[in-house]
Amino acid sequence: MGKMIGIVGGVGTFAGIDLYRKIYHHTDARTDKDHLPVALLSIPYKIADRTGYLQGEEEDNPGIAIGGIINTLSSMGAEVIGIPCNTAHVPRILNEILKRTPEGVIVLNMIEEVGRHISADYPEIRKAGILGTSGTINSNIYSDVLSNYQIEAIYPEEGLQKDLVHPAIYDKDYGIKAFSDPVTDRSRQDLLEAADYLVKQGAEAIVLACTEIPLAIHESHISQSIVFYSVSILAQALISKSS
C-alpha cells in the first residue's frame, strides 16, 4: 500500500489540490485500490503569508502553523509530507517547520528535489531561469540549491520582478491569488514576458518556482527552453518516498 502522504494545504490558491491531482496523475495504478493513501489538510487562515513574513509585513512565522498542521497529518497516519509552497522552504521558515515535525516523519524539500531532478534527468542544463514570488527570489534559495548541482539560477531583473512577476501572483485586481479559475490574461501575459526575458538571458530551462504559476503557464517549453513544474517534481518525489 505504501506510506501515507500528507499534503499541507492552505499555502496557495489550489496548490494543495494541484499537488494531490499530480500525485494521482503520476501514480502507476490500474484500479482504485492501487492508488496511494493521501491526506490533505488545508487551514489557510492559520498560515501567515510566506513572502509577507520574509518582507517584514507579517509578524508570525508561518512555519509554526505549518508545523502544527504536519503534526495533525502525522496523527492521521501521514509519514511523508509535501508542502506545495516554494517560499515555505526558505530556511527562516523551513527550520521552524522541521523543529516541530514529529520524529519519523519525512518532510521533502521541494527545492532540493527540483535540483536533483534537473541534474539527474537533464545534466546538460547549466542555466535555469526562476519564476517565483519576491520572497523566493530575494531569498536566493534556488541559487543556493542549484549551485550544488553546478546549475546557475537566473532571476528576472529587479524592475521586472517588482512590476510584473510578483503582481501577477499577488495583485488583488488581476493576480492569481485573486483570480485563479481562470487566471486573468494580464497575469498570464506578464509571466510569459518575464519567462521570455529569462530565455534571452541564456536560461536553458524555466523553473516555475511558485505553485500558483502553473495555473497561468501550461507550456512544456518557452522558446527552446524546457519548463519545469516544481509541484509536479514534488509529487513524483513523494510517490518515490512513499513506496
Side-chain angles (χ1 to χ4, degrees):
M1 180 178 67
K3 298 175 182 177
M4 179 181 286
I5 295 170
I7 298 174
V8 176
V11 287
T13 309
F14 287 111
I17 296 171
D18 190 37
L19 177 56
Y20 205 151
R21 183 187 300 115
K22 283 179 168 57
I23 288 169
Y24 280 91
H25 174 76
H26 288 290
T27 299
D28 184 14
R30 297 294 180 269
T31 70
D32 291 341
K33 288 186 176 182
D34 289 338
H35 283 282
L36 295 167
V38 179
L40 165 61
L41 182 57
S42 180
I43 316 178
Y45 76 90
K46 285 191 173 184
I47 306 173
D49 184 81
R50 282 67 59 205
T51 292
Y53 170 71
L54 293 172
Q55 294 183 337
E57 299 162 1
E58 296 274 0
E59 182 177 346
D60 296 332
N61 190 319
I64 297 171
I66 293 173
I69 291 170
I70 289 173
N71 271 269
T72 302
L73 288 167
S74 174
S75 71
M76 298 165 65
E79 298 179 74
V80 184
I81 305 294
I83 308 169
C85 172
N86 286 262
T87 316
H89 292 77
V90 173
R92 280 176 59 192
I93 299 174
L94 185 61
N95 289 341
E96 289 295 329
I97 295 171
L98 297 179
K99 283 196 301 188
R100 291 165 171 79
T101 299
E103 185 177 352
V105 173
I106 300 171
V107 177
L108 292 192
N109 187 315
M110 177 157 58
I111 318 302
E112 290 285 352
E113 295 300 336
V114 170
R116 187 176 296 115
H117 174 77
I118 296 175
S119 177
D121 293 355
Y122 300 86
E124 71 279 7
I125 291 176
R126 285 291 168 261
K127 293 184 178 182
I130 311 298
L131 281 182
T133 66
S134 292
T136 294
I137 299 302
N138 293 339
S139 73
N140 280 322
I141 186 172
Y142 267 93
S143 292
D144 295 341
V145 171
L146 293 183
S147 64
N148 294 328
Y149 297 96
Q150 290 74 55
I151 301 170
E152 178 186 354
I154 301 175
Y155 301 110
E157 59 90 17
E158 185 177 355
L160 201 62
Q161 178 66 31
K162 179 181 177 182
D163 297 334
L164 290 187
V165 181
H166 195 74
I169 301 166
Y170 274 92
D171 192 280
K172 293 181 179 179
D173 291 325
Y174 64 88
I176 300 171
K177 286 185 180 292
F179 299 92
S180 55
D181 190 20
V183 301
T184 64
D185 184 64
R186 178 175 177 179
S187 176
R188 172 174 162 78
Q189 293 306 317
D190 285 356
L191 289 167
L192 287 174
E193 182 178 336
D196 186 60
Y197 167 86
L198 293 171
V199 171
K200 289 177 180 177
Q201 299 306 305
E204 302 157 292
I206 302 294
V207 177
L208 303 188
C210 170
T211 50
E212 291 165 313
I213 292 178
L215 296 172
I217 294 179
H218 317 107
E219 284 81 354
S220 61
H221 289 76
I222 294 177
S223 296
Q224 300 301 313
S225 300
I226 188 169
V227 177
F228 290 102
Y229 294 80
S230 58
V231 70
S232 183
I233 293 170
L234 177 60
Q236 294 174 71
L238 287 167
I239 293 168
S240 177
K241 281 290 185 182
S242 69
S243 301

